[in-house]
Amino acid sequence: MSGFTSWLSQLDFSIIYDYGIIVAASLLCIMFHEVSHGLCALALGDPTAKNAGRLTFNPIKHVDLMGLLMMAIFRFGWAKPVPVDMRRFQHPVRGMAITAAAGPLSNVVLAFLALCIRAAALYIYYRTGGPVSNFLVTFFEYVAILSVGLAVFNVIPIPPLDGSKVLYALLPRNVYYRILRYEKYGFLVLMVILYVGLLDTPLNFCRQALLGGLSQISAFPFYILQRLFG
């Protein structure tokens, strides 16, 4: 028993704690992204996602295990796509593009809100200390990082990512339907590009630039408070 106790005491539980926070933050980002797709589609006249039970924050409905693993390890990933029937839109191509754009845009909004909460928690932590504020700082920092990563990753114009559907809306109609025939090969192309690291530099640059800009904006009010009240 003493041997087991000694082995247990040497384990680094901070790693488990960190990954627990990362998984929880990943789930929040993924659910926010997918529910935003469904709500946008519903607003434009397509209730398919609602009828499929996808307008929910139940993670089981949205999580793709491989996509969640990618989020936790590489800071970008994906979820189960929300079902959308573009034939129900009054303007199918435009409606599909707007619905697709709602996902990445929602993650930018979520990242900004997370950074605002983080800045507030950080301000409270510096003034009072305490584990609750420290947890909030860590959790919402991960939410912001992962949400920005999800937004940037999904604007890549390669199927099945959201950016491809926005790009298609800008193409002539005959080109649009011609490309749709090859959409099923998009995921394979995407995996090859990610494997060889072709997108690493532009993805990291965009992620850091967006995260830095949102951080500056969200922290400014608390910077003023710090200067006023110390």
Side-chain angles (χ1 to χ4, degrees):
M1 185 66 181
S2 60
F4 174 75
T5 304
S6 300
W7 173 79
L8 194 63
S9 64
Q10 71 179 355
L11 292 178
D12 186 1
F13 286 100
S14 64
I15 297 176
I16 299 175
Y17 174 78
D18 285 344
Y19 270 97
I21 293 179
I22 290 173
V23 170
S26 299
L27 290 173
L28 176 60
C29 297
I30 287 172
M31 290 185 295
F32 203 83
H33 182 102
E34 294 303 323
V35 170
S36 296
H37 281 314
L39 287 174
C40 185
L42 182 63
L44 293 173
D46 175 28
T48 306
K50 178 183 177 182
N51 295 338
R54 294 296 300 274
L55 300 187
T56 175
F57 280 92
N58 178 358
I60 297 175
K61 294 285 187 177
H62 303 292
V63 168
D64 178 286
L65 290 179
M66 180 59 70
L68 179 62
L69 185 63
M70 293 284 285
M71 282 280 288
I73 297 175
F74 299 108
R75 306 297 188 264
F76 60 80
W78 57 87
K80 292 178 184 176
V82 164
V84 176
D85 186 351
M86 62 187 295
R87 295 170 299 179
R88 293 176 177 262
F89 296 141
Q90 186 175 0
H91 303 285
V93 176
R94 186 196 310 168
M96 195 67 201
I98 295 172
T99 299
L105 287 175
S106 72
N107 281 121
V108 174
V109 172
L110 177 61
F112 178 71
L113 293 176
L115 287 169
C116 288
I117 296 172
R118 177 187 178 276
L122 200 57
Y123 177 76
I124 295 170
Y125 179 68
Y126 283 147
R127 293 183 67 87
T128 65
V132 174
S133 296
N134 189 28
F135 168 78
L136 291 176
V137 169
T138 304
F139 176 74
F140 284 104
E141 181 176 356
Y142 277 125
V143 169
I145 292 171
L146 293 168
S147 201
V148 164
L150 194 61
V152 170
F153 180 68
N154 272 277
V155 297
I156 298 174
I158 299 175
L161 300 179
D162 299 324
S164 65
K165 298 175 178 62
V166 177
L167 175 64
Y168 292 169
L170 304 176
L171 298 174
R173 188 62 57 88
N174 61 325
V175 176
Y176 173 82
Y177 288 113
R178 195 179 307 154
I179 291 178
L180 282 183
R181 301 176 192 170
Y182 304 100
E183 190 174 29
K184 60 184 178 181
Y185 302 110
F187 187 78
L188 179 60
V189 172
L190 181 64
M191 288 297 99
V192 171
I193 290 175
L194 291 175
Y195 179 77
V196 300
L198 188 62
L199 295 176
D200 287 356
T201 299
L203 283 176
N204 287 331
F205 173 81
C206 293
R207 185 168 54 192
Q208 292 301 322
L210 181 56
L211 189 62
L214 293 175
S215 297
Q216 292 283 343
I217 297 170
S218 64
F220 183 73
F222 301 98
Y223 170 77
I224 298 298
L225 288 175
Q226 185 71 24
R227 294 297 298 270
L228 290 176
F229 302 106

